[in-house]
Amino acid sequence: MKIYISVDMEGVVGVVTPDQLKPNGFEYQQFREFMTKETLAAINAAKEMGASEILVSDSHGNGENLLIEQLPNDVRIVRSWVRPLGMMAGIDSLSMR
């Protein structure tokens, strides 16, 4: 089973203002941590359900928000921009060209 996770900081637990979503904003670093932990929870749940491949797309802002050193080494990560299919880059073989 292949799993695709596209993660955006809007929707992360506790986000209530746009200022928390910008690199120079109030609590931004804390919310990068929350986003990473929520992504890790989704990864772990997918693995528990039998996922054999997991691809994570950092789809917030500049696409460089996840703390990738905290993610498992066997997870592929799509970061930064410009990329085919935007937030869904990597969803199929055509978008990875």
Side-chain angles (χ1 to χ4, degrees), residues 19-26 28-29 32 60-62 65:
D19 191 47
Q20 295 166 314
L21 306 174
K22 302 173 191 168
N24 60 350
F26 177 70
Y28 172 73
Q29 292 303 320
R32 285 182 74 200
H60 179 74
N62 63 5
N65 306 278

Side-chain angles (χ1 to χ4, degrees), residues 1-42:
M1 174 175 26
K2 297 179 181 180
I3 300 295
Y4 185 90
I5 301 169
S6 182
V7 60
D8 198 347
M9 203 173 281
E10 288 86 359
V12 168
V13 68
V15 171
V16 293
T17 68
D19 191 47
Q20 295 166 314
L21 306 174
K22 302 173 191 168
N24 60 350
F26 177 70
E27 298 181 323
Y28 172 73
Q29 292 303 320
Q30 181 178 6
F31 282 93
R32 285 182 74 200
E33 190 77 39
F34 290 169
M35 180 177 164
T36 301
K37 287 180 179 177
E38 288 187 15
T39 302
L40 188 53

Side-chain angles (χ1 to χ4, degrees), residues 31-92:
F31 282 93
R32 285 182 74 200
E33 190 77 39
F34 290 169
M35 180 177 164
T36 301
K37 287 180 179 177
E38 288 187 15
T39 302
L40 188 53
I43 290 168
N44 291 336
K47 286 182 175 185
E48 286 178 21
M49 295 305 296
S52 57
E53 294 181 43
I54 300 173
L55 177 63
V56 174
S57 173
D58 184 335
S59 297
H60 179 74
N62 63 5
E64 300 170 3
N65 306 278
L66 286 169
L67 303 173
I68 60 172
E69 69 277 4
Q70 295 183 21
L71 300 181
N73 291 333
D74 62 341
V75 172
R76 292 183 32 223
I77 304 167
V78 178
R79 300 182 77 210
S80 196
W81 304 98
V82 170
R83 44 185 153 153
L85 301 180
M87 290 180 164
M88 297 305 292
I91 191 71
D92 62 28

